[in-house]
Amino acid sequence: MMKRAKALFLGLLRPSSLLLAGSVSAESVTRQLNMPRGVTEVSQAAYDIHMIMIWICTVIGVLVLGFMFYVMFAHRKSKGVTAANFHENLVVEVLWTVIPALILIVMAVPATTALLKVYDTENPDIDIKVTGYQWKWQYEYIGEGVKFMSELRTSQDEIYGRAPKGEHYLREVTQPLVIPTNKKVRFLITGNDVIHSWWVPDFGVKRDAVPGLFTAAWTKTDQPGTYVGECTELCGLGHAFMPVVVEVKEEAEYEAWLAGKKEEAAIYASTIGKQWTFDELMVKGEQVYGRSCAGCHQVNGEGITGVFPALKDSPIALGPAEGHIAILIDGVAGSAMQSFAEQLSEVEIAAVVHYERNAWGNDVGDIVQPINVLNFKQSQ
Amino acid sequence: MSSESSYYVPEQSKLPLMAATGMGAMGYGAASWVIDGGTSTIFLIGSLIMAAAMYKWWSLVIEENTRGIVSDQLKHSYVLGMYWFIFSELMFFVCFFGSLFYVRVLVGPWLDGEAAVGWFDDTATDAAIANATHLWPGYDATWPPLVTPDQVVTLAANPDATEFQFKGPEHAMSFPGWSFSQILGWLPLWNTIVLLSSSGTVHVAHHALKEGNRKKFVTWLGLTVLLGVVFLFLQAEEYIHAYQELGLTLESGIYGTTFFLLTGFHGAHVTLGTIMLLIAFLRGAKGQFTDKDHFGFEMAAWYWHFVDVIWIGLFLIVYVLG
Amino acid sequence: MAHGPSQNFFSRWLFSTNHKDIGTLYLWFSFAMFLLGGFFAMVIRAELFQPGMQLIKPEFFVQMTTMHGLVMVFGAIMPAFVGLANWMIPMMIGAPDMALPRMNNLSFWILPFAFTILTSTLFMEGGGPNFGWTFYAPLSTTYAPDTVNYFIFGVHMMGASSIMGSINIIATVMNMRAPGMTYMKMPLFVWTWVITAFLLVAVMPVLAGAVTMMLMDINFGTSFFDAAGGGDPVLFQHVFWFFGHPEVYIIILPAFGVVSQIIPTFSRKPLFGYSSMVYATASIAFLSFIVWAHHMFTVGMPIAGELYFMYATMLIAVPTGVKVFNWITTMYKGALTFETPMLFSIAFVILFTFGGFTGMMLSIAAADTQYHDTYFVVAHFHYVMVAGAVFSGTAAVYYWLPKWCGRMYDETMGKVQFWIAFIAFNITFMPQHFLGLAGMPRRYSDYGLQFTDWNMVSSIGAFLYGGAQLLFLYNVIRTIGWGKPIDDPQVWEGAEGLEWTVPTPAPFHTFSTPPVVK
Ligand code: HEA
Ligand code: HEA
Ligand code: CUA
Ligand SMILES: [Cu+2]
């Protein structure tokens, strides 16, 4: 209690010191006021038109409101003025209809060219499919056979204040999307369950991920680096917890990374028959569970009454392993319980099923091996 | 504009609160009813309260009118109320017609990878092409759609599949063809004939009333009510046919969805209109309308014409062009 | 029919057919809803005070956001203006009452039931609506808790209430004007309300259609919003915004009306450009029907659609500008005094214009790619809705309260409230522009550390602003109970119009025989 009070009090001090300190700032990101210029043609076009609009509005605002302040100052009753009685003047009325209309026409020109840039998705060098899931992203390099999930890495402890918040709080993921410099990358964006929106401010890319339909966006930059974005369409309770992280690498580096990814997939396929021990699976399973399942079913397996069922003592988790695997592979149609067949590897599915069957006092005692999962998949 | 000095401002009334209570119970009850395992009890209680309130309310208005305290100006208020009510009903249908337009003209082509509005720009967008290659391969959008995207994809993965989230109908409701027997057996055409003639009969009834010919009025109005009932009967027949023989249900994808929602809401409005006409008929039989004073009947008649106009739209868009 | 108010408290307020009593009911109801919605906002701001989840869980946060939006828009602002319409329109046009007094009472009483149903979901299993006030499918259909059905029927009831209320207003204005009160002599408040009522009758049924489609998709297996069946989730957005965009003008047009009454009074000078004001209002209403998809710039519409909606949206600046210029020119060469209603009205003009400018920025589709669904949008609409609708509503209460109850409010306290509200409002919402531009999305229960400072500032401002509302409540109650009695019919030196010719406080029945307007 005292700790919270102290934190609040310090919190109160911080902004007030900020107001006093004015523009003197230690960490520039913290005090950022304006839109970032970004690193692509599109983001820069957006920034430019944004600045144009700010200036036009400022000028109009200063003129119009300035005039009003003058009137408020000069024509007050306390100064002994008597009110005039006019209430019409065709000339000014026409003028202040026509002039704003002209300003609008002027504004429309750069607005149109900027928009044409946003829509210029033709002839890409690389096609990446982006799928929004509750509450993570999946990236698939179309035609390369590489595909993976990208999930929040920040721990629940940090979020709930049980551990200090790291520097990259809510801006870190398990695997970032990697793209090369100087290549036109096209994103084909869709959703798996509800609508999400894939946003990377520095690219000027924000497109909704609508289930059942694609939207398209593109990017091309010459500046390597790590760019962080967010999900910007309300997608349920984990909306704030599915950041986008993109790493832009030099071309050669990118190629090496991609080759590594392909190799990984090959190695994985060859080891799928390995027999895991009970404890190995528990450890792995707990990780997977914490990352992929706890968001809904909660860390303690008790779910949220009325929304997400408890897995602790659930008949499915205690029943035959087949049925349990089936739910993960197929999902439950028309509910938030999605199919994990595409999102998790066989090893991960086996591990998490095993974990659920043997954690929180569920002790079925059997072992679920990756090969069981593979067999189940193939029997379908 | 106000010309008389005595606009009738009614005394306090318990009816509004009663109606609001009924409505509240209906809303709450309907929600708990549609949820799995819910019951209809509260909804039914609400409906009863509502029905009682409405009955008393209309009786009160009729009684006020027969007592002669309803000035022309107040009548005009009722008339305006009815006009704008009909306008709001119109907008309700606009919503559904607009949705039909959207899914039919735009969404279908997007899902199967074409440019939506071909005459404007016939290059398909990247997104549309991706829809057809990655999400719904093999889906071919036609209207009326007899297969759904879900069905196409599921069948491609497993040709023996029988379970679908959305399975298209076997047949559509559209125009069957030009042979005489086909046309003769086409229910919507009969429905149109029935409904159009009912608009005619109500018009005749109106004229009869204005001429002061009560007998003729009652006869023709009775005929109108009868036609309304026949229409509803035919539509029920059509729905049964759709469900049992054509496999066209609410679950058959967007076609079943739009078909039943549009015709269903129209049917609901026909029901309401028929009830209004029936009340007018009963009042007419009691002699409550005079050649000058019959706005109760007139309102029902406008409503009826409105329902008719909607039907013509439905007939053309859902059936003929469907 | 010169019956006075019923002596029995319950029968007076429950069974009323009197436009003033029903207006009072509406106003109190809306104020209660404002406190409730404001309370939800306080929960939001308290949680966002710091990064991390401190007070509530993410699932409850989303419910708070949703309920805050719904309660404020449908429970606080709309009924507040209907209340003002009930009180003022008959008095302004010289009518004895509303055209359909019993229906008037019905349209009020539906609201408490509707909002009880809506808020009761917060206590049910599964929780309240958690899909934002825009309730996009499929989050609000396939993925919604069962309680969404209560939400759906609640919305249906609110819609029914609004439609009845609007029909009543239209009928009153078209049919009940005193002899000589031609359309072009009607006070601007009346004009803005008829046009608003027209918008309501046109778009509430569309909202009803939208929730009906949801109901069918959820419970009866239809596929309006499911691509697997040939529908499209984006269809929902089109239907919703076809309602939703006119809805925001439904909120602001009566506010324009209020300000157009107040500014001439305290400028002691007739409203400048009366007829262009009327035409501007009508143009705004017309344009509001054809710009809806500017809320959907990132949804992937074809570029032709995007361009069209961008251009059409930009056009709204023209008629709105006309209004702003007219208000300022009304003040020009007047004899200005700055009583509380005038202060709120001037703040309205300044802050609304500011919010309008950010609206113009949002209308630029390429830039909206960056702004969309960030706090920049939240800042925009609180500038137009709080500094627009709430400020003008407050101004209206200070302006007309003396007429209603025959007692004067305390000017000093009014001014104190104004300054706290004005400053706190800007502390709350100005930083949200920065947050949005720096990249903070809306409807976020938690945020990265880089957004901490401005969120704290905003939260502190919000608590202060909430405090100002409590002061307002106190001020109103104090005036009604203990304010200085006045009996000058005109109340304000510069006030013109029929409502200022009846005695103060306004008797239970006014204009039982219509006045003649020259
Ligand atoms: C009272 C309510 C109200 C009002 C009046 C407005 C007014 C305007 N709004 Fe706003 N708006 C909302 C309420 C309102 N809005 C809400 C609630 C949302 C969010 C909904 C949600 O997603 O939850 C929203 C969102 C919103 C968006 C979508 C943003 C997004 O989600 O990405 C856009 C985009 O175009 C927009 C534009 C405008 C414009 C152009 C105006 C114009 O009407 C403004 C016109 C006024 C002026 C321009 C100022 C005065 C004019 C002059 C002084 C003349 C000269 C000026 C020029 C030539 C520039 N609004
Ligand atoms: C006209 C409508 C209206 C009004 C008046 C307000 C008023 C306020 N709104 Fe909001 N708001 C919306 C309409 C409105 N809002 C809408 C439509 C949304 C979008 C919802 C969505 O995304 O779906 C939104 C969203 C919204 C958000 C974003 C939430 C999110 O994205 O997660 C925030 C955050 O700061 C916010 C804050 C506030 C605040 C601080 C006020 C203040 O002005 C409120 C002041 C009033 C009071 C505080 C009440 C009086 C005092 C008490 C009850 C006593 C208790 C007080 C204390 C403890 C101090 N509103
Ligand atoms: Cu995903 Cu928000
Ligand atoms: Cu809008």
Side-chain angles (χ1 to χ4, degrees):
Chain A
M1 201 59 226
M2 273 319 287
K3 234 170 95 188
R4 162 144 327 139
K6 203 173 139 199
L8 268 162
F9 181 69
L10 286 178
L12 279 169
L13 283 180
R14 274 180 73 188
S16 44
S17 65
L18 176 153
L19 289 176
L20 293 177
S23 58
V24 190
S25 66
E27 330 138 61
S28 62
V29 276
T30 320
R31 310 282 155 77
Q32 183 185 333
L33 295 181
N34 204 355
M35 186 190 276
R37 257 198 77 122
V39 294
T40 65
E41 210 184 318
V42 172
S43 72
Q44 282 160 10
Y47 177 83
D48 291 342
I49 182 85
H50 162 74
M51 288 318 288
I52 296 178
M53 290 301 297
I54 289 196
W55 284 117
I56 294 183
C57 290
T58 311
V59 171
I60 300 177
V62 167
L63 288 178
V64 173
L65 298 178
F67 179 66
M68 185 172 95
F69 281 113
Y70 159 75
V71 170
M72 279 163 64
F73 177 75
H75 302 161
R76 42 175 71 215
K77 194 183 172 206
S78 56
K79 288 193 153 186
V81 295
T82 43
N85 202 27
F86 62 88
H87 53 80
E88 250 164 10
N89 182 329
L90 194 61
V91 178
V92 295
E93 286 178 71
V94 169
L95 275 183
W96 68 44
T97 314
V98 173
I99 293 176
L102 293 178
I103 299 177
L104 290 180
I105 294 172
V106 172
M107 280 166 20
V109 177
T112 308
T113 35
L115 192 65
L116 290 174
K117 287 215 176 88
V118 174
Y119 270 78
D120 178 23
T121 53
E122 310 254 289
N123 305 323
D125 301 317
I126 299 175
D127 248 336
I128 295 179
K129 178 177 163 198
V130 178
T131 313
Y133 284 80
Q134 275 180 327
W135 293 288
K136 56 202 152 225
W137 296 99
Q138 185 186 56
Y139 301 116
E140 178 178 346
Y141 292 70
I142 294 178
E144 302 283 356
V146 171
K147 150 162 116 176
F148 56 87
M149 303 297 299
S150 173
E151 293 172 50
L152 181 70
R153 215 175 58 203
T154 306
S155 69
Q156 296 283 311
D157 285 347
E158 281 174 70
I159 294 172
Y160 286 94
R162 295 184 292 258
K165 297 186 187 7
E167 184 190 353
H168 298 296
Y169 181 68
L170 297 188
R171 293 157 63 81
E172 51 197 353
V173 293
T174 48
Q175 281 196 67
L177 174 69
V178 179
I179 59 171
T181 48
N182 297 320
K183 290 262 179 209
K184 181 164 181 179
V185 182
R186 178 169 64 184
F187 303 107
L188 291 170
I189 302 167
T190 185
N192 172 66
D193 30 49
V194 299
I195 305 179
H196 305 262
S197 189
W198 196 77
W199 184 30
V200 182
D202 285 312
F203 295 171
V205 169
K206 182 188 284 151
R207 286 285 115 160
D208 289 2
V210 184
L213 289 163
F214 273 109
T215 47
W218 69 282
T219 199
K220 182 173 178 180
T221 174
D222 52 10
Q223 299 183 32
T226 305
Y227 300 98
V228 182
E230 316 265 3
C231 172
T232 49
E233 183 60 66
L234 178 59
C235 51
L237 56 93
H239 173 49
F241 305 104
M242 50 182 296
V244 174
V245 180
V246 184
E247 265 175 32
V248 178
K249 292 191 197 284
E250 298 289 358
E251 241 193 293
E253 240 181 296
Y254 166 78
E255 291 299 344
W257 174 86
L258 192 67
K261 270 280 160 199
K262 285 184 190 162
E263 199 175 328
E264 231 174 74
I267 294 175
Y268 174 76
S270 68
T271 59
I272 196 156
K274 176 190 162 201
Q275 291 288 317
W276 293 58
T277 69
F278 188 96
D279 292 332
E280 274 174 347
L281 282 169
M282 281 306 272
V283 173
K284 175 97 183 152
E286 187 167 4
Q287 285 168 3
V288 178
Y289 184 84
R291 226 172 52 213
S292 304
C293 322
C296 296
H297 296 290
Q298 307 298 308
V299 179
N300 55 15
E302 282 169 9
I304 296 177
T305 319
V307 193
F308 304 118
L311 298 179
K312 188 179 166 180
D313 299 332
S314 120
I316 303 231
L318 300 180
E322 279 276 288
H324 198 161
I325 297 175
I327 286 217
L328 266 107
I329 302 284
D330 300 332
V332 179
S335 85
M337 185 61 205
Q338 55 213 264
S339 157
F340 282 89
E342 297 283 299
Q343 305 183 34
L344 298 178
S345 68
E346 285 77 15
V347 175
E348 285 167 326
I349 293 185
V352 77
V353 168
H354 177 81
Y355 175 75
E356 284 174 357
R357 301 171 75 72
N358 297 294
W360 327 296
N362 282 357
D363 30 31
V364 185
D366 61 354
I367 299 189
V368 179
Q369 294 290 355
I371 193 74
N372 302 99
V373 177
L374 192 69
N375 289 342
F376 181 88
K377 267 191 178 171
Q378 275 159 2
S379 72
Q380 269 191 323
Chain B
M1 235 174 274
S2 177
S3 49
E4 291 151 77
S5 56
S6 57
Y7 191 84
Y8 173 63
V9 178
E11 300 286 334
Q12 296 207 318
S13 168
K14 297 193 173 69
L15 290 171
L17 187 58
M18 184 173 167
T21 314
M23 205 188 247
M26 281 170 77
Y28 186 89
S32 41
W33 187 14
V34 291
I35 292 176
D36 282 339
T39 64
S40 57
T41 325
I42 301 180
F43 177 78
L44 291 178
I45 295 174
S47 316
L48 286 180
I49 301 177
M50 188 70 180
M54 285 295 111
Y55 179 77
K56 285 172 96 173
W57 196 319
W58 297 129
S59 311
L60 180 66
V61 173
I62 292 168
E63 189 242 36
E64 282 168 358
N65 194 28
T66 39
R67 257 193 11 230
I69 50 181
V70 178
S71 64
D72 283 347
Q73 198 191 1
L74 178 54
K75 277 178 204 160
H76 191 58
S77 290
Y78 287 137
V79 167
L80 285 169
M82 192 65 191
Y83 275 159
W84 289 94
F85 171 65
I86 291 180
F87 175 66
S88 79
E89 293 275 56
L90 179 71
M91 290 307 293
F92 186 74
F93 278 98
V94 164
C95 168
F96 284 94
F97 276 110
S99 302
L100 173 60
F101 171 84
Y102 183 80
V103 292
R104 181 171 164 175
V105 177
L106 301 174
V107 177
W110 281 334
L111 291 181
D112 90 346
E114 292 165 30
V117 192
W119 35 264
F120 180 70
D121 174 5
D122 60 5
T123 42
T125 58
D126 295 5
I129 295 167
N131 287 337
T133 34
H134 297 290
L135 281 171
W136 312 110
Y139 177 63
D140 182 22
T142 48
W143 195 272
L146 298 184
V147 284
T148 62
D150 170 52
Q151 202 176 350
V152 172
V153 172
T154 312
L155 279 177
N158 177 3
D160 306 323
T162 48
E163 289 279 307
F164 306 94
Q165 196 188 344
F166 300 107
K167 183 171 189 287
E170 275 112 56
H171 296 280
M173 280 300 183
S174 32
F175 188 57
W178 283 106
S179 97
F180 187 65
S181 65
Q182 276 171 323
I183 295 182
L184 213 59
W186 195 39
L187 273 180
L189 182 67
W190 289 107
N191 262 338
T192 311
I193 294 171
V194 168
L195 213 53
L196 280 184
S197 28
S198 79
S199 243
T201 51
V202 84
H203 191 71
V204 176
H206 194 180
H207 267 278
L209 186 58
K210 281 201 209 145
E211 286 156 16
N213 187 341
R214 176 141 72 110
K215 192 141 167 277
K216 190 171 162 201
F217 166 68
V218 174
T219 320
W220 283 92
L221 189 55
L223 193 59
T224 315
V225 174
L226 200 68
L227 286 170
V229 175
V230 170
F231 175 90
L232 288 171
F233 176 78
L234 286 180
Q235 197 174 23
E237 208 37 37
E238 187 187 28
Y239 278 13
I240 293 171
H241 177 60
Y243 258 78
Q244 294 183 341
E245 280 142 52
L246 307 184
L248 177 62
T249 69
L250 278 172
E251 281 103 6
S252 7
I254 198 64
Y255 182 61
T257 300
T258 49
F259 174 78
F260 283 109
L261 264 280
L262 275 160
T263 56
F265 273 116
H266 177 262
H269 284 78
V270 174
T271 314
L272 188 64
T274 310
I275 294 172
M276 283 161 69
L277 287 176
L278 184 66
I279 294 171
F281 172 77
L282 295 176
R283 289 185 63 197
K286 279 203 206 151
Q288 286 180 355
F289 296 129
T290 68
D291 52 349
K292 293 263 151 36
D293 181 13
H294 50 258
F295 68 95
F297 161 71
E298 273 180 325
M299 286 187 192
W302 293 326
Y303 196 75
W304 196 248
H305 289 310
F306 157 73
V307 168
D308 221 29
V309 170
I310 297 291
W311 176 261
I312 293 172
L314 276 180
F315 181 63
L316 290 179
I317 293 175
V318 175
Y319 291 100
V320 178
L321 300 175
Chain C
M1 302 285 138
H3 40 83
S6 162
Q7 294 311 307
N8 179 316
F9 177 84
F10 288 104
S11 82
R12 171 169 181 187
W13 296 107
L14 295 180
F15 310 138
S16 178
T17 48
N18 178 279
H19 72 102
K20 299 190 183 76
D21 279 358
I22 296 176
T24 307
L25 285 171
Y26 263 112
L27 288 169
W28 278 113
F29 174 79
S30 83
F31 200 78
M33 286 294 118
F34 179 62
L35 293 184
L36 182 66
F39 174 73
F40 294 151
M42 294 299 112
V43 176
I44 294 174
R45 285 299 352 150
E47 177 55 52
L48 292 180
F49 184 71
Q50 284 185 314
M53 300 305 303
Q54 280 87 27
L55 310 169
I56 53 177
K57 289 262 175 73
E59 59 268 25
F60 189 65
F61 183 92
V62 190
Q63 294 172 30
M64 285 292 101
T65 299
T66 309
M67 289 296 286
H68 164 69
L70 290 170
V71 167
M72 282 299 193
V73 169
F74 294 103
I77 304 300
M78 290 168 64
F81 285 116
V82 181
L84 293 175
N86 255 300
W87 253 101
M88 301 316 298
I89 290 181
M91 294 206 318
M92 285 176 158
I93 62 174
D97 205 301
M98 296 293 280
L100 303 161
R102 278 185 297 241
M103 190 169 85
N104 201 13
N105 199 28
L106 172 58
S107 53
F108 170 74
W109 277 107
I110 291 173
L111 287 178
F113 286 99
F115 279 89
T116 310
I117 293 179
L118 190 64
T119 20
S120 68
T121 58
L122 283 175
F123 304 99
M124 292 180 190
E125 189 178 300
N130 57 4
F131 24 68
W133 86 284
T134 53
F135 51 104
Y136 282 5
L139 187 62
S140 64
T141 55
T142 319
Y143 295 87
D146 278 345
T147 53
V148 62
N149 293 298
Y150 293 94
F151 159 85
I152 290 177
F153 287 103
V155 169
H156 267 309
M157 289 169 65
M158 291 184 281
S161 158
S162 291
I163 292 175
M164 283 190 258
S166 314
I167 289 180
N168 215 338
I169 288 171
I170 297 180
T172 307
V173 173
M174 290 179 74
N175 194 30
M176 309 277 289
R177 279 167 290 123
M181 176 60 81
T182 58
Y183 279 113
M184 289 314 266
K185 277 190 192 157
M186 294 193 312
L188 216 73
F189 178 72
V190 181
W191 256 117
T192 53
W193 241 117
V194 206
I195 292 173
T196 305
F198 168 76
L199 286 180
L200 275 166
V201 181
V203 301
M204 288 317 270
V206 176
L207 178 66
V211 291
T212 306
M213 292 182 201
M214 278 171 66
L215 184 77
M216 298 304 292
D217 267 16
I218 294 170
N219 300 299
F220 302 101
T222 55
S223 60
F224 281 111
F225 310 132
D226 195 336
D232 181 352
V234 179
L235 168 63
F236 176 85
Q237 301 182 17
H238 281 291
V239 178
F240 179 83
W241 287 116
F242 186 81
F243 148 80
H245 184 79
E247 168 68 26
V248 307
Y249 292 100
I250 287 166
I251 290 173
I252 205 67
L253 290 184
F256 287 168
V258 166
V259 170
S260 305
Q261 300 301 126
I262 295 178
I263 289 187
T265 298
F266 297 98
S267 305
R268 293 166 182 75
K269 189 166 155 272
L271 183 69
F272 186 85
Y274 173 91
S275 44
S276 66
M277 284 297 233
V278 174
Y279 299 135
T281 313
S283 325
I284 293 174
F286 169 75
L287 287 173
S288 76
F289 282 107
I290 57 168
V291 300
W292 72 89
H294 64 216
H295 295 272
M296 304 161 54
F297 280 146
T298 62
V299 86
M301 277 184 287
I303 187 164
E306 227 53 16
L307 284 172
Y308 159 73
F309 282 109
M310 174 168 88
Y311 298 147
T313 304
M314 290 164 71
L315 278 182
I316 302 185
V318 175
T320 319
V322 167
K323 303 210 112 197
V324 172
F325 301 138
N326 278 329
W327 289 321
I328 295 177
T329 316
T330 304
M331 288 158 67
Y332 177 65
K333 295 220 161 137
L336 302 178
T337 50
F338 299 93
E339 286 84 350
T340 312
M342 183 64 165
L343 286 177
F344 272 103
S345 301
I346 291 174
F348 169 96
V349 175
I350 300 170
L351 299 176
F352 173 80
T353 304
F354 191 90
F357 285 155
T358 53
M360 287 315 290
M361 297 171 66
L362 291 168
S363 75
I364 307 298
D368 187 63
T369 311
Q370 299 285 47
Y371 309 132
H372 178 67
D373 263 341
T374 67
Y375 262 81
F376 191 80
V377 178
V378 176
H380 156 67
F381 67 72
H382 283 91
Y383 265 79
V384 280
M385 296 209 293
V386 178
V390 178
F391 272 30
S392 75
T394 315
V397 170
Y398 278 118
Y399 182 55
W400 282 315
L401 192 60
K403 171 62 48 186
W404 297 338
C405 67
R407 289 170 187 276
M408 199 60 186
Y409 63 88
D410 181 325
E411 192 61 63
T412 320
M413 222 191 291
K415 285 191 171 134
V416 170
Q417 192 225 326
F418 167 76
W419 284 109
I420 301 180
F422 181 79
I423 293 167
F425 169 83
N426 285 294
I427 299 180
T428 312
F429 294 108
M430 185 58 79
Q432 296 189 356
H433 293 106
F434 312 146
L435 282 172
L437 293 175
M440 176 158 163
R442 60 194 282 212
R443 295 160 172 172
Y444 259 32
S445 50
D446 195 3
Y447 50 84
L449 303 179
Q450 76 273 31
F451 303 126
T452 311
D453 287 348
W454 288 124
N455 267 303
M456 283 186 176
V457 176
S458 176
S459 291
I460 293 168
F463 299 140
L464 204 61
Y465 185 76
Q469 303 315 313
L470 297 183
L471 192 61
F472 180 48
L473 176 65
Y474 170 74
N475 219 346
V476 169
I477 294 177
R478 216 201 66 109
T479 309
I480 296 173
W482 302 274
K484 185 166 77 61
I486 50 167
D487 57 5
D488 172 16
Q490 206 188 1
V491 182
W492 308 107
E493 189 191 0
E496 304 276 348
L498 281 181
E499 77 271 32
W500 305 109
T501 61
V502 300
T504 300
F508 194 64
H509 290 289
T510 37
F511 302 125
S512 297
T513 37
V516 177
V517 181
K518 293 164 279 21

